[in-house]
Amino acid sequence: MAIRSPRVPPRAAIAAAAAARARRGFRDMAPPPALREPSAPEPSPVQEPIPAAPSRRWSRLRLAGLILSVMVIAGCAGMAAVVPEPGWLRWLLAGIALVGAAGWVLAFLVGPAAWRLAGESAPLSAAERAQMTVAERVEAVNAARHTLIQAATGLVVIGGVAFTALGLWYTARTVETAQQGQITDRYTKAFEQLGSDKIEVRLGGIHALRFLSVDSPRDREIVIDVLSAFVRSRDTCALPSGQKTKSLPKQCTTTDPDVLADLPYVRPGADVRAAMNIASAIASERVGNVVVIPDLSEVRFPRTDLRGLPLIGLNMTGADLRGADLTGADLTGTFLTDADLTGALGVNR
């Protein structure tokens, strides 16, 4: 006997198929697991640790370094102003002070001044740096390197300028030393010429001293002293060099005005007149407030022809000018205290 399965009505089969289709559509339209409400609370993300702020010890070290550098700069500048010799030490101290001050100026420009211009009142804090991305940090590091390179370049340029100035100063000192050596050689040669037996050579030495007084104004007093000594040693009553037994001229020994008036006039040598003229001319050319007076005190020119000589600003205290002819001679500013002018002609003070 055969077993038959129960027969399902057509309407029931259609309803079951529709229900299955509806269930499949609902599953397809359900939200993904990531959008569903979690059954348990998810753990919070791990926060990156924020670097700690700089310690007070580091701030104190920076402050101490600032104070120390300022003291070094001020000390070098002060010592450069008071150290007299040697000159290279003064310039070295001044260079150190200049480089140090320039370094602090550059540090201020690339630091606080740059922040102010960028609208920042202070550098980034540790929390602000922690929020920067990797690209921003790399860019900040590169910018810092560029700034440091520029600062180092500026220091190198300033150092180069300082050393260039030092080199120029050393060159100037070398040239000045060479010039002083040349002037010394010219002095030596001029002094040798003044002791010559030939009047032409002596005249050359006198005019050489005149040119030296122009080239070296600080030696004017020495030139005037040398010329004054030359005149005193070669006045009318001076014995020629090496002749100790020769008698003096009569105008130097007589005390009778009538006898002196009958004697002929004696004209000093061209070298003596040139020395008196040049000494007077140099003395009249004042340099600043320095006044140099040629010392012709107690010089002896009795019955001597001194006509037309510009004897300006000389010290002729106690000079023997008895019977001298001073017609046309300019004695403006000349000291004639205790000078003997008995019988002198043409005295015009």
Side-chain angles (χ1 to χ4, degrees), residues 212-337:
L212 283 173
S213 67
V214 176
D215 296 337
S216 181
R218 65 180 183 181
D219 296 324
R220 293 170 60 253
E221 184 175 357
I222 298 176
V223 172
I224 290 177
D225 290 342
V226 171
L227 294 177
S228 301
F230 180 82
V231 172
R232 291 195 304 269
S233 64
R234 292 181 178 272
D235 60 12
T236 303
C237 299
L239 290 173
S241 176
Q243 299 183 14
K244 299 180 179 179
T245 59
K246 182 179 178 180
S247 60
L248 292 173
K250 191 172 183 179
Q251 63 264 28
C252 298
T253 58
T254 183
T255 57
D256 189 348
D258 297 332
V259 174
L260 184 63
D262 294 336
L263 294 175
Y265 283 103
V266 178
R267 189 163 180 83
D271 52 349
V272 176
R273 294 197 305 271
M276 296 175 68
N277 288 336
I278 292 176
S280 177
I282 297 175
S284 63
E285 298 171 357
R286 296 186 179 182
V287 178
N289 296 325
V290 179
V291 179
V292 182
I293 300 177
D295 184 11
L296 297 182
S297 57
E298 299 182 0
V299 71
R300 297 163 297 179
F301 286 117
R303 200 61 179 174
T304 305
D305 184 1
L306 300 176
R307 291 177 298 174
L309 289 179
L311 309 177
I312 304 172
L314 303 180
N315 178 18
M316 301 186 74
T317 302
D320 185 1
L321 298 175
R322 294 175 296 126
D325 188 356
L326 297 171
T327 304
D330 190 355
L331 298 174
T332 303
T334 298
F335 296 93
L336 293 172
T337 306

Side-chain angles (χ1 to χ4, degrees), residues 73 76-77 79-81 88-101 162:
I73 294 173
C76 290
M79 292 179 64
W88 64 266
L89 179 59
R90 180 169 62 252
W91 281 96
L92 178 62
L93 293 173
I96 293 175
L98 177 61
V99 172

Side-chain angles (χ1 to χ4, degrees), residues 21-271:
R21 189 179 302 111
R23 285 195 298 271
R24 286 197 300 271
F26 181 77
R27 285 197 303 268
D28 294 337
M29 295 175 61
L35 298 180
R36 297 177 188 174
E37 242 180 73
S39 57
E42 297 182 359
S44 60
V46 179
Q47 297 287 340
E48 185 178 354
I50 298 175
S55 62
R56 292 184 178 180
R57 180 181 180 183
W58 176 243
S59 300
R60 292 175 180 175
L61 288 176
R62 287 190 296 182
L63 180 59
L66 173 62
I67 296 175
L68 180 61
S69 61
V70 171
M71 292 176 61
V72 170
I73 294 173
C76 290
M79 292 179 64
V82 299
V83 171
E85 292 295 339
W88 64 266
L89 179 59
R90 180 169 62 252
W91 281 96
L92 178 62
L93 293 173
I96 293 175
L98 177 61
V99 172
W104 276 115
V105 170
L106 287 177
F108 174 77
L109 292 178
V110 301
W115 298 333
R116 292 287 182 180
L117 290 176
E120 300 289 340
S121 59
L124 295 176
S125 63
E128 292 172 340
R129 288 195 298 270
Q131 295 176 1
M132 297 172 62
T133 63
V134 175
E136 291 174 343
R137 291 189 179 185
V138 172
E139 184 179 357
V141 171
N142 291 335
R145 289 174 179 171
H146 184 66
T147 301
L148 290 177
I149 291 174
Q150 288 182 339
T153 304
L155 288 177
V156 170
V157 170
I158 293 176
V161 171
F163 281 104
T164 301
L166 183 61
L168 292 176
W169 170 83
Y170 181 77
T171 303
R173 291 283 295 181
T174 304
V175 172
E176 183 180 357
T177 303
Q179 291 177 348
Q180 288 298 321
Q182 294 177 356
I183 290 176
T184 301
D185 294 339
R186 292 167 63 184
Y187 267 127
T188 303
K189 187 175 181 179
F191 293 156
E192 292 176 355
Q193 291 175 331
L194 290 180
S196 175
D197 295 334
K198 297 181 179 181
I199 188 172
E200 297 86 358
V201 179
R202 294 197 298 270
L203 279 173
I206 292 170
H207 288 288
L209 289 176
R210 170 59 172 159
F211 293 134
L212 283 173
S213 67
V214 176
D215 296 337
S216 181
R218 65 180 183 181
D219 296 324
R220 293 170 60 253
E221 184 175 357
I222 298 176
V223 172
I224 290 177
D225 290 342
V226 171
L227 294 177
S228 301
F230 180 82
V231 172
R232 291 195 304 269
S233 64
R234 292 181 178 272
D235 60 12
T236 303
C237 299
L239 290 173
S241 176
Q243 299 183 14
K244 299 180 179 179
T245 59
K246 182 179 178 180
S247 60
L248 292 173
K250 191 172 183 179
Q251 63 264 28
C252 298
T253 58
T254 183
T255 57
D256 189 348
D258 297 332
V259 174
L260 184 63
D262 294 336
L263 294 175
Y265 283 103
V266 178
R267 189 163 180 83
D271 52 349

